[in-house]
PDB file of all heavy atoms in Angstrom:
ATOM      1  N   PHE K   1      -4.640  52.151 -35.999  1.00 98.00           N
ATOM      2  CA  PHE K   1      -5.086  51.682 -34.717  1.00 98.00           C
ATOM      3  C   PHE K   1      -5.845  52.838 -34.063  1.00 98.00           C
ATOM      4  O   PHE K   1      -5.345  53.958 -33.956  1.00 98.00           O
ATOM      5  CB  PHE K   1      -3.963  51.295 -33.808  1.00 98.00           C
ATOM      6  CG  PHE K   1      -3.257  49.931 -34.275  1.00 98.00           C
ATOM      7  CD1 PHE K   1      -2.000  49.966 -34.811  1.00 98.00           C
ATOM      8  CD2 PHE K   1      -3.928  48.747 -34.147  1.00 98.00           C
ATOM      9  CE1 PHE K   1      -1.406  48.814 -35.193  1.00 98.00           C
ATOM     10  CE2 PHE K   1      -3.332  47.635 -34.569  1.00 98.00           C
ATOM     11  CZ  PHE K   1      -2.070  47.662 -35.121  1.00 98.00           C
ATOM     12  N   THR K   2      -6.997  52.574 -33.563  1.00 98.00           N
ATOM     13  CA  THR K   2      -7.824  53.554 -32.905  1.00 98.00           C
ATOM     14  C   THR K   2      -7.405  53.768 -31.508  1.00 98.00           C
ATOM     15  O   THR K   2      -7.180  52.822 -30.735  1.00 98.00           O
ATOM     16  CB  THR K   2      -9.318  53.145 -32.909  1.00 98.00           C
ATOM     17  OG1 THR K   2      -9.692  52.904 -34.208  1.00 98.00           O
ATOM     18  CG2 THR K   2     -10.218  54.211 -32.267  1.00 98.00           C
ATOM     19  N   PRO K   3      -7.183  55.005 -31.033  1.00 98.00           N
ATOM     20  CA  PRO K   3      -6.730  55.201 -29.638  1.00 98.00           C
ATOM     21  C   PRO K   3      -7.766  54.795 -28.601  1.00 98.00           C
ATOM     22  O   PRO K   3      -8.966  54.906 -28.802  1.00 98.00           O
ATOM     23  CB  PRO K   3      -6.526  56.756 -29.576  1.00 98.00           C
ATOM     24  CG  PRO K   3      -7.441  57.306 -30.591  1.00 98.00           C
ATOM     25  CD  PRO K   3      -7.454  56.289 -31.752  1.00 98.00           C
ATOM     26  N   ASP K   4      -7.214  54.306 -27.415  1.00 98.00           N
ATOM     27  CA  ASP K   4      -8.144  54.046 -26.290  1.00 98.00           C
ATOM     28  C   ASP K   4      -8.644  55.320 -25.655  1.00 98.00           C
ATOM     29  O   ASP K   4      -9.711  55.380 -25.148  1.00 98.00           O
ATOM     30  CB  ASP K   4      -7.410  53.253 -25.253  1.00 98.00           C
ATOM     31  CG  ASP K   4      -6.856  51.879 -25.785  1.00 98.00           C
ATOM     32  OD1 ASP K   4      -7.735  50.969 -25.918  1.00 98.00           O
ATOM     33  OD2 ASP K   4      -5.674  51.778 -26.208  1.00 98.00           O
ATOM     34  N   TYR K   5      -7.825  56.346 -25.791  1.00 97.00           N
ATOM     35  CA  TYR K   5      -8.152  57.678 -25.232  1.00 97.00           C
ATOM     36  C   TYR K   5      -7.817  58.720 -26.318  1.00 97.00           C
ATOM     37  O   TYR K   5      -6.621  58.892 -26.631  1.00 97.00           O
ATOM     38  CB  TYR K   5      -7.397  57.993 -23.948  1.00 97.00           C
ATOM     39  CG  TYR K   5      -7.735  57.018 -22.820  1.00 97.00           C
ATOM     40  CD1 TYR K   5      -6.923  55.816 -22.717  1.00 97.00           C
ATOM     41  CD2 TYR K   5      -8.762  57.144 -21.959  1.00 97.00           C
ATOM     42  CE1 TYR K   5      -7.213  54.898 -21.715  1.00 97.00           C
ATOM     43  CE2 TYR K   5      -9.035  56.240 -21.011  1.00 97.00           C
ATOM     44  CZ  TYR K   5      -8.274  55.112 -20.900  1.00 97.00           C
ATOM     45  OH  TYR K   5      -8.575  54.189 -19.869  1.00 97.00           O
ATOM     46  N   GLU K   6      -8.807  59.282 -26.926  1.00 96.00           N
ATOM     47  CA  GLU K   6      -8.672  60.191 -28.065  1.00 96.00           C
ATOM     48  C   GLU K   6      -8.445  61.595 -27.612  1.00 96.00           C
ATOM     49  O   GLU K   6      -9.224  62.168 -26.902  1.00 96.00           O
ATOM     50  CB  GLU K   6      -9.826  60.189 -29.021  1.00 96.00           C
ATOM     51  CG  GLU K   6      -9.556  60.955 -30.304  1.00 96.00           C
ATOM     52  CD  GLU K   6     -10.614  60.705 -31.406  1.00 96.00           C
ATOM     53  OE1 GLU K   6     -11.499  59.879 -31.149  1.00 96.00           O
ATOM     54  OE2 GLU K   6     -10.418  61.256 -32.477  1.00 96.00           O
ATOM     55  N   ILE K   7      -7.226  62.152 -27.957  1.00 95.00           N
ATOM     56  CA  ILE K   7      -6.864  63.509 -27.643  1.00 95.00           C
ATOM     57  C   ILE K   7      -6.172  64.055 -28.813  1.00 95.00           C
ATOM     58  O   ILE K   7      -5.149  63.467 -29.242  1.00 95.00           O
ATOM     59  CB  ILE K   7      -5.945  63.633 -26.401  1.00 95.00           C
ATOM     60  CG1 ILE K   7      -6.627  63.025 -25.154  1.00 95.00           C
ATOM     61  CG2 ILE K   7      -5.637  65.014 -26.138  1.00 95.00           C
ATOM     62  CD1 ILE K   7      -5.679  62.963 -23.950  1.00 95.00           C
ATOM     63  N   ASN K   8      -6.639  65.125 -29.441  1.00 94.00           N
ATOM     64  CA  ASN K   8      -5.963  65.784 -30.553  1.00 94.00           C
ATOM     65  C   ASN K   8      -5.097  66.819 -29.936  1.00 94.00           C
ATOM     66  O   ASN K   8      -5.501  67.873 -29.486  1.00 94.00           O
ATOM     67  CB  ASN K   8      -6.953  66.323 -31.513  1.00 94.00           C
ATOM     68  CG  ASN K   8      -6.304  66.962 -32.725  1.00 94.00           C
ATOM     69  OD1 ASN K   8      -5.142  67.289 -32.745  1.00 94.00           O
ATOM     70  ND2 ASN K   8      -7.136  67.106 -33.793  1.00 94.00           N
ATOM     71  N   GLU K   9      -3.735  66.644 -30.017  1.00 93.00           N
ATOM     72  CA  GLU K   9      -2.798  67.553 -29.403  1.00 93.00           C
ATOM     73  C   GLU K   9      -2.877  68.952 -30.066  1.00 93.00           C
ATOM     74  O   GLU K   9      -2.487  69.933 -29.428  1.00 93.00           O
ATOM     75  CB  GLU K   9      -1.391  67.032 -29.388  1.00 93.00           C
ATOM     76  CG  GLU K   9      -0.749  66.940 -30.772  1.00 93.00           C
ATOM     77  CD  GLU K   9       0.715  66.708 -30.728  1.00 93.00           C
ATOM     78  OE1 GLU K   9       1.292  66.847 -29.579  1.00 93.00           O
ATOM     79  OE2 GLU K   9       1.305  66.456 -31.786  1.00 93.00           O
ATOM     80  N   ASN K  10      -3.312  68.955 -31.331  1.00 91.00           N
ATOM     81  CA  ASN K  10      -3.332  70.255 -32.010  1.00 91.00           C
ATOM     82  C   ASN K  10      -4.621  71.049 -31.601  1.00 91.00           C
ATOM     83  O   ASN K  10      -4.644  72.327 -31.719  1.00 91.00           O
ATOM     84  CB  ASN K  10      -3.386  70.044 -33.521  1.00 91.00           C
ATOM     85  CG  ASN K  10      -2.067  69.407 -33.986  1.00 91.00           C
ATOM     86  OD1 ASN K  10      -1.055  69.671 -33.506  1.00 91.00           O
ATOM     87  ND2 ASN K  10      -2.210  68.450 -34.964  1.00 91.00           N
ATOM     88  N   GLN K  11      -5.628  70.445 -31.136  1.00 85.00           N
ATOM     89  CA  GLN K  11      -6.898  71.079 -30.764  1.00 85.00           C
ATOM     90  C   GLN K  11      -7.506  70.352 -29.545  1.00 85.00           C
ATOM     91  O   GLN K  11      -8.570  69.871 -29.578  1.00 85.00           O
ATOM     92  CB  GLN K  11      -7.889  71.049 -31.925  1.00 85.00           C
ATOM     93  CG  GLN K  11      -7.400  71.735 -33.215  1.00 85.00           C
ATOM     94  CD  GLN K  11      -8.186  71.395 -34.420  1.00 85.00           C
ATOM     95  OE1 GLN K  11      -8.430  70.218 -34.664  1.00 85.00           O
ATOM     96  NE2 GLN K  11      -8.629  72.337 -35.150  1.00 85.00           N
ATOM     97  N   PRO K  12      -6.744  70.344 -28.425  1.00 77.00           N
ATOM     98  CA  PRO K  12      -7.197  69.503 -27.312  1.00 77.00           C
ATOM     99  C   PRO K  12      -8.439  70.070 -26.591  1.00 77.00           C
ATOM    100  O   PRO K  12      -9.175  69.321 -25.939  1.00 77.00           O
ATOM    101  CB  PRO K  12      -5.969  69.570 -26.405  1.00 77.00           C
ATOM    102  CG  PRO K  12      -5.316  70.862 -26.667  1.00 77.00           C
ATOM    103  CD  PRO K  12      -5.509  71.038 -28.120  1.00 77.00           C
ATOM    104  N   ASN K  13      -8.723  71.324 -26.717  1.00 75.00           N
ATOM    105  CA  ASN K  13      -9.834  71.879 -25.992  1.00 75.00           C
ATOM    106  C   ASN K  13     -10.916  72.492 -26.948  1.00 75.00           C
ATOM    107  O   ASN K  13     -11.699  73.314 -26.547  1.00 75.00           O
ATOM    108  CB  ASN K  13      -9.386  73.018 -25.053  1.00 75.00           C
ATOM    109  CG  ASN K  13      -8.458  72.453 -23.972  1.00 75.00           C
ATOM    110  OD1 ASN K  13      -8.864  71.495 -23.292  1.00 75.00           O
ATOM    111  ND2 ASN K  13      -7.255  73.043 -23.830  1.00 75.00           N
ATOM    112  N   GLY K  14     -10.877  72.032 -28.172  1.00 74.00           N
ATOM    113  CA  GLY K  14     -11.904  72.562 -29.156  1.00 74.00           C
ATOM    114  C   GLY K  14     -11.328  72.861 -30.475  1.00 74.00           C
ATOM    115  O   GLY K  14     -10.523  72.146 -31.005  1.00 74.00           O
ATOM    116  N   GLU K  15     -11.684  74.011 -31.059  1.00 78.00           N
ATOM    117  CA  GLU K  15     -11.403  74.286 -32.400  1.00 78.00           C
ATOM    118  C   GLU K  15      -9.994  74.840 -32.636  1.00 78.00           C
ATOM    119  O   GLU K  15      -9.391  74.682 -33.701  1.00 78.00           O
ATOM    120  CB  GLU K  15     -12.442  75.285 -32.949  1.00 78.00           C
ATOM    121  CG  GLU K  15     -12.279  75.715 -34.416  1.00 78.00           C
ATOM    122  CD  GLU K  15     -13.334  76.694 -34.892  1.00 78.00           C
ATOM    123  OE1 GLU K  15     -14.099  77.142 -34.010  1.00 78.00           O
ATOM    124  OE2 GLU K  15     -13.325  77.044 -36.080  1.00 78.00           O
ATOM    125  N   TYR K  16      -9.436  75.515 -31.660  1.00 86.00           N
ATOM    126  CA  TYR K  16      -8.248  76.349 -31.909  1.00 86.00           C
ATOM    127  C   TYR K  16      -6.995  75.711 -31.369  1.00 86.00           C
ATOM    128  O   TYR K  16      -6.939  74.950 -30.429  1.00 86.00           O
ATOM    129  CB  TYR K  16      -8.453  77.740 -31.294  1.00 86.00           C
ATOM    130  CG  TYR K  16      -9.611  78.431 -31.766  1.00 86.00           C
ATOM    131  CD1 TYR K  16     -10.639  78.849 -30.963  1.00 86.00           C
ATOM    132  CD2 TYR K  16      -9.704  78.743 -33.134  1.00 86.00           C
ATOM    133  CE1 TYR K  16     -11.794  79.468 -31.455  1.00 86.00           C
ATOM    134  CE2 TYR K  16     -10.878  79.365 -33.684  1.00 86.00           C
ATOM    135  CZ  TYR K  16     -11.877  79.711 -32.802  1.00 86.00           C
ATOM    136  OH  TYR K  16     -13.016  80.334 -33.248  1.00 86.00           O
ATOM    137  N   PHE K  17      -5.902  76.044 -32.064  1.00 88.00           N
ATOM    138  CA  PHE K  17      -4.539  75.573 -31.662  1.00 88.00           C
ATOM    139  C   PHE K  17      -4.076  76.400 -30.447  1.00 88.00           C
ATOM    140  O   PHE K  17      -4.164  77.578 -30.453  1.00 88.00           O
ATOM    141  CB  PHE K  17      -3.617  75.704 -32.818  1.00 88.00           C
ATOM    142  CG  PHE K  17      -2.212  75.306 -32.532  1.00 88.00           C
ATOM    143  CD1 PHE K  17      -1.856  73.942 -32.378  1.00 88.00           C
ATOM    144  CD2 PHE K  17      -1.146  76.252 -32.318  1.00 88.00           C
ATOM    145  CE1 PHE K  17      -0.571  73.534 -32.100  1.00 88.00           C
ATOM    146  CE2 PHE K  17       0.150  75.856 -32.076  1.00 88.00           C
ATOM    147  CZ  PHE K  17       0.451  74.457 -31.978  1.00 88.00           C
ATOM    148  N   GLU K  18      -3.570  75.700 -29.453  1.00 87.00           N
ATOM    149  CA  GLU K  18      -3.175  76.419 -28.217  1.00 87.00           C
ATOM    150  C   GLU K  18      -1.617  76.260 -27.974  1.00 87.00           C
ATOM    151  O   GLU K  18      -1.173  76.582 -26.815  1.00 87.00           O
ATOM    152  CB  GLU K  18      -3.940  75.839 -27.054  1.00 87.00           C
ATOM    153  CG  GLU K  18      -5.397  76.084 -27.196  1.00 87.00           C
ATOM    154  CD  GLU K  18      -6.210  75.502 -26.012  1.00 87.00           C
ATOM    155  OE1 GLU K  18      -5.553  74.973 -25.062  1.00 87.00           O
ATOM    156  OE2 GLU K  18      -7.445  75.586 -26.039  1.00 87.00           O
ATOM    157  N   GLY K  19      -0.879  75.784 -28.869  1.00 91.00           N
ATOM    158  CA  GLY K  19       0.563  75.618 -28.632  1.00 91.00           C
ATOM    159  C   GLY K  19       0.860  74.218 -28.121  1.00 91.00           C
ATOM    160  O   GLY K  19      -0.026  73.429 -27.907  1.00 91.00           O
ATOM    161  N   TYR K  20       2.153  73.911 -27.960  1.00 93.00           N
ATOM    162  CA  TYR K  20       2.611  72.647 -27.544  1.00 93.00           C
ATOM    163  C   TYR K  20       3.281  72.767 -26.178  1.00 93.00           C
ATOM    164  O   TYR K  20       4.050  73.651 -25.950  1.00 93.00           O
ATOM    165  CB  TYR K  20       3.597  71.930 -28.526  1.00 93.00           C
ATOM    166  CG  TYR K  20       3.012  71.517 -29.822  1.00 93.00           C
ATOM    167  CD1 TYR K  20       3.650  71.789 -30.997  1.00 93.00           C
ATOM    168  CD2 TYR K  20       1.828  70.775 -29.825  1.00 93.00           C
ATOM    169  CE1 TYR K  20       3.179  71.378 -32.233  1.00 93.00           C
ATOM    170  CE2 TYR K  20       1.340  70.307 -31.011  1.00 93.00           C
ATOM    171  CZ  TYR K  20       1.955  70.628 -32.228  1.00 93.00           C
ATOM    172  OH  TYR K  20       1.414  70.231 -33.417  1.00 93.00           O
ATOM    173  N   GLY K  21       2.948  71.821 -25.270  1.00 93.00           N
ATOM    174  CA  GLY K  21       3.667  71.733 -23.995  1.00 93.00           C
ATOM    175  C   GLY K  21       4.946  71.023 -24.241  1.00 93.00           C
ATOM    176  O   GLY K  21       5.152  70.246 -25.158  1.00 93.00           O
ATOM    177  N   ASP K  22       5.924  71.191 -23.254  1.00 96.00           N
ATOM    178  CA  ASP K  22       7.211  70.487 -23.402  1.00 96.00           C
ATOM    179  C   ASP K  22       7.002  68.981 -23.233  1.00 96.00           C
ATOM    180  O   ASP K  22       6.100  68.521 -22.471  1.00 96.00           O
ATOM    181  CB  ASP K  22       8.141  70.993 -22.277  1.00 96.00           C
ATOM    182  CG  ASP K  22       8.645  72.435 -22.568  1.00 96.00           C
ATOM    183  OD1 ASP K  22       8.592  72.837 -23.709  1.00 96.00           O
ATOM    184  OD2 ASP K  22       9.030  73.101 -21.562  1.00 96.00           O
ATOM    185  N   PHE K  23       7.894  68.240 -23.849  1.00 97.00           N
ATOM    186  CA  PHE K  23       7.891  66.818 -23.718  1.00 97.00           C
ATOM    187  C   PHE K  23       8.070  66.457 -22.222  1.00 97.00           C
ATOM    188  O   PHE K  23       8.907  67.044 -21.573  1.00 97.00           O
ATOM    189  CB  PHE K  23       9.029  66.153 -24.490  1.00 97.00           C
ATOM    190  CG  PHE K  23       8.752  66.149 -26.041  1.00 97.00           C
ATOM    191  CD1 PHE K  23       9.754  66.654 -26.935  1.00 97.00           C
ATOM    192  CD2 PHE K  23       7.633  65.613 -26.552  1.00 97.00           C
ATOM    193  CE1 PHE K  23       9.555  66.627 -28.270  1.00 97.00           C
ATOM    194  CE2 PHE K  23       7.392  65.597 -27.942  1.00 97.00           C
ATOM    195  CZ  PHE K  23       8.442  66.080 -28.773  1.00 97.00           C
ATOM    196  N   GLY K  24       7.358  65.445 -21.805  1.00 97.00           N
ATOM    197  CA  GLY K  24       7.542  64.974 -20.423  1.00 97.00           C
ATOM    198  C   GLY K  24       7.107  65.834 -19.350  1.00 97.00           C
ATOM    199  O   GLY K  24       7.454  65.753 -18.190  1.00 97.00           O
ATOM    200  N   THR K  25       6.139  66.779 -19.620  1.00 96.00           N
ATOM    201  CA  THR K  25       5.556  67.637 -18.652  1.00 96.00           C
ATOM    202  C   THR K  25       4.006  67.547 -18.799  1.00 96.00           C
ATOM    203  O   THR K  25       3.509  67.162 -19.802  1.00 96.00           O
ATOM    204  CB  THR K  25       5.935  69.108 -18.807  1.00 96.00           C
ATOM    205  OG1 THR K  25       5.397  69.630 -20.041  1.00 96.00           O
ATOM    206  CG2 THR K  25       7.482  69.225 -18.918  1.00 96.00           C
ATOM    207  N   GLU K  26       3.337  67.889 -17.669  1.00 92.00           N
ATOM    208  CA  GLU K  26       1.914  67.755 -17.747  1.00 92.00           C
ATOM    209  C   GLU K  26       1.197  68.872 -18.494  1.00 92.00           C
ATOM    210  O   GLU K  26      -0.001  69.008 -18.589  1.00 92.00           O
ATOM    211  CB  GLU K  26       1.366  67.655 -16.300  1.00 92.00           C
ATOM    212  CG  GLU K  26       1.745  66.320 -15.652  1.00 92.00           C
ATOM    213  CD  GLU K  26       1.320  66.096 -14.262  1.00 92.00           C
ATOM    214  OE1 GLU K  26       0.471  66.966 -13.843  1.00 92.00           O
ATOM    215  OE2 GLU K  26       1.711  65.112 -13.654  1.00 92.00           O
ATOM    216  N   SER K  27       2.054  69.839 -19.067  1.00 94.00           N
ATOM    217  CA  SER K  27       1.454  70.775 -20.014  1.00 94.00           C
ATOM    218  C   SER K  27       1.218  70.177 -21.387  1.00 94.00           C
ATOM    219  O   SER K  27       0.594  70.794 -22.243  1.00 94.00           O
ATOM    220  CB  SER K  27       2.423  72.030 -20.125  1.00 94.00           C
ATOM    221  OG  SER K  27       3.688  71.613 -20.666  1.00 94.00           O
ATOM    222  N   ASP K  28       1.756  68.965 -21.590  1.00 96.00           N
ATOM    223  CA  ASP K  28       1.441  68.163 -22.807  1.00 96.00           C
ATOM    224  C   ASP K  28       0.271  67.212 -22.478  1.00 96.00           C
ATOM    225  O   ASP K  28       0.359  66.335 -21.626  1.00 96.00           O
ATOM    226  CB  ASP K  28       2.669  67.346 -23.166  1.00 96.00           C
ATOM    227  CG  ASP K  28       2.493  66.411 -24.379  1.00 96.00           C
ATOM    228  OD1 ASP K  28       1.358  66.282 -24.822  1.00 96.00           O
ATOM    229  OD2 ASP K  28       3.476  65.828 -24.812  1.00 96.00           O
ATOM    230  N   PRO K  29      -0.897  67.430 -23.185  1.00 95.00           N
ATOM    231  CA  PRO K  29      -2.090  66.682 -22.777  1.00 95.00           C
ATOM    232  C   PRO K  29      -2.034  65.184 -22.998  1.00 95.00           C
ATOM    233  O   PRO K  29      -2.633  64.424 -22.184  1.00 95.00           O
ATOM    234  CB  PRO K  29      -3.158  67.282 -23.676  1.00 95.00           C
ATOM    235  CG  PRO K  29      -2.407  67.942 -24.821  1.00 95.00           C
ATOM    236  CD  PRO K  29      -1.117  68.382 -24.276  1.00 95.00           C
ATOM    237  N   LEU K  30      -1.272  64.731 -23.942  1.00 96.00           N
ATOM    238  CA  LEU K  30      -1.098  63.255 -24.133  1.00 96.00           C
ATOM    239  C   LEU K  30      -0.255  62.643 -23.031  1.00 96.00           C
ATOM    240  O   LEU K  30      -0.641  61.608 -22.445  1.00 96.00           O
ATOM    241  CB  LEU K  30      -0.449  62.959 -25.524  1.00 96.00           C
ATOM    242  CG  LEU K  30      -1.468  62.916 -26.678  1.00 96.00           C
ATOM    243  CD1 LEU K  30      -2.028  64.340 -27.040  1.00 96.00           C
ATOM    244  CD2 LEU K  30      -0.777  62.365 -27.983  1.00 96.00           C
ATOM    245  N   TYR K  31       0.862  63.277 -22.735  1.00 97.00           N
ATOM    246  CA  TYR K  31       1.665  62.800 -21.627  1.00 97.00           C
ATOM    247  C   TYR K  31       0.892  62.846 -20.290  1.00 97.00           C
ATOM    248  O   TYR K  31       0.939  61.932 -19.459  1.00 97.00           O
ATOM    249  CB  TYR K  31       2.974  63.605 -21.502  1.00 97.00           C
ATOM    250  CG  TYR K  31       3.835  63.212 -20.408  1.00 97.00           C
ATOM    251  CD1 TYR K  31       4.792  62.184 -20.525  1.00 97.00           C
ATOM    252  CD2 TYR K  31       3.840  63.938 -19.169  1.00 97.00           C
ATOM    253  CE1 TYR K  31       5.636  61.840 -19.463  1.00 97.00           C
ATOM    254  CE2 TYR K  31       4.679  63.577 -18.161  1.00 97.00           C
ATOM    255  CZ  TYR K  31       5.543  62.516 -18.245  1.00 97.00           C
ATOM    256  OH  TYR K  31       6.367  62.154 -17.234  1.00 97.00           O
ATOM    257  N   ALA K  32       0.157  63.988 -20.115  1.00 96.00           N
ATOM    258  CA  ALA K  32      -0.601  64.145 -18.888  1.00 96.00           C
ATOM    259  C   ALA K  32      -1.608  63.101 -18.710  1.00 96.00           C
ATOM    260  O   ALA K  32      -1.920  62.555 -17.615  1.00 96.00           O
ATOM    261  CB  ALA K  32      -1.217  65.551 -18.839  1.00 96.00           C
ATOM    262  N   LYS K  33      -2.242  62.690 -19.861  1.00 96.00           N
ATOM    263  CA  LYS K  33      -3.257  61.607 -19.747  1.00 96.00           C
ATOM    264  C   LYS K  33      -2.622  60.274 -19.329  1.00 96.00           C
ATOM    265  O   LYS K  33      -3.228  59.535 -18.519  1.00 96.00           O
ATOM    266  CB  LYS K  33      -3.943  61.438 -21.108  1.00 96.00           C
ATOM    267  CG  LYS K  33      -5.078  60.437 -21.115  1.00 96.00           C
ATOM    268  CD  LYS K  33      -6.171  60.710 -20.127  1.00 96.00           C
ATOM    269  CE  LYS K  33      -7.268  59.692 -20.146  1.00 96.00           C
ATOM    270  NZ  LYS K  33      -8.340  60.003 -19.136  1.00 96.00           N
ATOM    271  N   ALA K  34      -1.483  59.985 -19.901  1.00 98.00           N
ATOM    272  CA  ALA K  34      -0.768  58.776 -19.508  1.00 98.00           C
ATOM    273  C   ALA K  34      -0.428  58.767 -17.983  1.00 98.00           C
ATOM    274  O   ALA K  34      -0.571  57.755 -17.307  1.00 98.00           O
ATOM    275  CB  ALA K  34       0.522  58.584 -20.351  1.00 98.00           C
ATOM    276  N   ILE K  35       0.050  59.912 -17.538  1.00 97.00           N
ATOM    277  CA  ILE K  35       0.363  59.960 -16.158  1.00 97.00           C
ATOM    278  C   ILE K  35      -0.816  59.795 -15.252  1.00 97.00           C
ATOM    279  O   ILE K  35      -0.808  59.159 -14.202  1.00 97.00           O
ATOM    280  CB  ILE K  35       1.043  61.420 -15.796  1.00 97.00           C
ATOM    281  CG1 ILE K  35       2.446  61.458 -16.465  1.00 97.00           C
ATOM    282  CG2 ILE K  35       1.178  61.615 -14.304  1.00 97.00           C
ATOM    283  CD1 ILE K  35       3.420  60.494 -15.875  1.00 97.00           C
ATOM    284  N   SER K  36      -1.983  60.384 -15.692  1.00 97.00           N
ATOM    285  CA  SER K  36      -3.183  60.237 -14.874  1.00 97.00           C
ATOM    286  C   SER K  36      -3.675  58.732 -14.851  1.00 97.00           C
ATOM    287  O   SER K  36      -4.170  58.309 -13.819  1.00 97.00           O
ATOM    288  CB  SER K  36      -4.329  61.106 -15.467  1.00 97.00           C
ATOM    289  OG  SER K  36      -4.860  60.617 -16.677  1.00 97.00           O
ATOM    290  N   LEU K  37      -3.532  58.047 -15.943  1.00 97.00           N
ATOM    291  CA  LEU K  37      -3.844  56.638 -15.969  1.00 97.00           C
ATOM    292  C   LEU K  37      -2.971  55.858 -15.056  1.00 97.00           C
ATOM    293  O   LEU K  37      -3.392  54.898 -14.467  1.00 97.00           O
ATOM    294  CB  LEU K  37      -3.830  56.108 -17.494  1.00 97.00           C
ATOM    295  CG  LEU K  37      -4.848  56.674 -18.384  1.00 97.00           C
ATOM    296  CD1 LEU K  37      -4.538  56.225 -19.786  1.00 97.00           C
ATOM    297  CD2 LEU K  37      -6.274  56.267 -18.007  1.00 97.00           C
ATOM    298  N   ILE K  38      -1.659  56.131 -15.118  1.00 97.00           N
ATOM    299  CA  ILE K  38      -0.726  55.432 -14.211  1.00 97.00           C
ATOM    300  C   ILE K  38      -0.923  55.729 -12.759  1.00 97.00           C
ATOM    301  O   ILE K  38      -0.938  54.791 -11.951  1.00 97.00           O
ATOM    302  CB  ILE K  38       0.711  55.813 -14.650  1.00 97.00           C
ATOM    303  CG1 ILE K  38       1.037  55.259 -16.023  1.00 97.00           C
ATOM    304  CG2 ILE K  38       1.749  55.288 -13.601  1.00 97.00           C
ATOM    305  CD1 ILE K  38       2.341  55.795 -16.676  1.00 97.00           C
ATOM    306  N   SER K  39      -1.158  56.972 -12.416  1.00 93.00           N
ATOM    307  CA  SER K  39      -1.255  57.336 -11.053  1.00 93.00           C
ATOM    308  C   SER K  39      -2.665  57.151 -10.484  1.00 93.00           C
ATOM    309  O   SER K  39      -2.836  57.061  -9.221  1.00 93.00           O
ATOM    310  CB  SER K  39      -0.874  58.875 -10.870  1.00 93.00           C
ATOM    311  OG  SER K  39      -1.852  59.660 -11.580  1.00 93.00           O
ATOM    312  N   GLY K  40      -3.673  57.083 -11.354  1.00 91.00           N
ATOM    313  CA  GLY K  40      -5.037  56.929 -10.923  1.00 91.00           C
ATOM    314  C   GLY K  40      -5.654  58.230 -10.459  1.00 91.00           C
ATOM    315  O   GLY K  40      -6.768  58.229  -9.959  1.00 91.00           O
ATOM    316  N   SER K  41      -4.940  59.356 -10.637  1.00 82.00           N
ATOM    317  CA  SER K  41      -5.429  60.627 -10.232  1.00 82.00           C
ATOM    318  C   SER K  41      -5.683  61.498 -11.406  1.00 82.00           C
ATOM    319  O   SER K  41      -5.050  61.340 -12.485  1.00 82.00           O
ATOM    320  CB  SER K  41      -4.447  61.312  -9.265  1.00 82.00           C
ATOM    321  OG  SER K  41      -3.218  61.540  -9.939  1.00 82.00           O
ATOM    322  N   LYS K  42      -6.643  62.414 -11.283  1.00 75.00           N
ATOM    323  CA  LYS K  42      -6.941  63.358 -12.380  1.00 75.00           C
ATOM    324  C   LYS K  42      -5.921  64.371 -12.550  1.00 75.00           C
ATOM    325  O   LYS K  42      -5.426  65.013 -11.523  1.00 75.00           O
ATOM    326  CB  LYS K  42      -8.284  64.004 -12.170  1.00 75.00           C
ATOM    327  CG  LYS K  42      -8.805  64.830 -13.266  1.00 75.00           C
ATOM    328  CD  LYS K  42     -10.212  65.405 -13.049  1.00 75.00           C
ATOM    329  CE  LYS K  42     -10.676  66.215 -14.229  1.00 75.00           C
ATOM    330  NZ  LYS K  42     -11.993  66.733 -14.058  1.00 75.00           N
ATOM    331  N   VAL K  43      -5.430  64.552 -13.747  1.00 66.00           N
ATOM    332  CA  VAL K  43      -4.458  65.622 -14.017  1.00 66.00           C
ATOM    333  C   VAL K  43      -5.104  66.614 -14.904  1.00 66.00           C
ATOM    334  O   VAL K  43      -5.617  66.330 -16.008  1.00 66.00           O
ATOM    335  CB  VAL K  43      -3.236  65.013 -14.734  1.00 66.00           C
ATOM    336  CG1 VAL K  43      -2.239  66.115 -15.178  1.00 66.00           C
ATOM    337  CG2 VAL K  43      -2.500  63.999 -13.859  1.00 66.00           C
TER     338      VAL K  43
END
C-alpha cells in the first residue's frame, strides 16, 4: 500500500540517518505528521 504521506523515518531530511525520536512524541516524524493532520496545525 502506497502511503498518503511519504516519510522515510530513517532519512527524513535527506541522505543521512538522524536517529529515532521516542514513540508518541513529536520528535518522531511519522507521529508528528499524524498529529499535524489531526490538529490542522503545522508541526
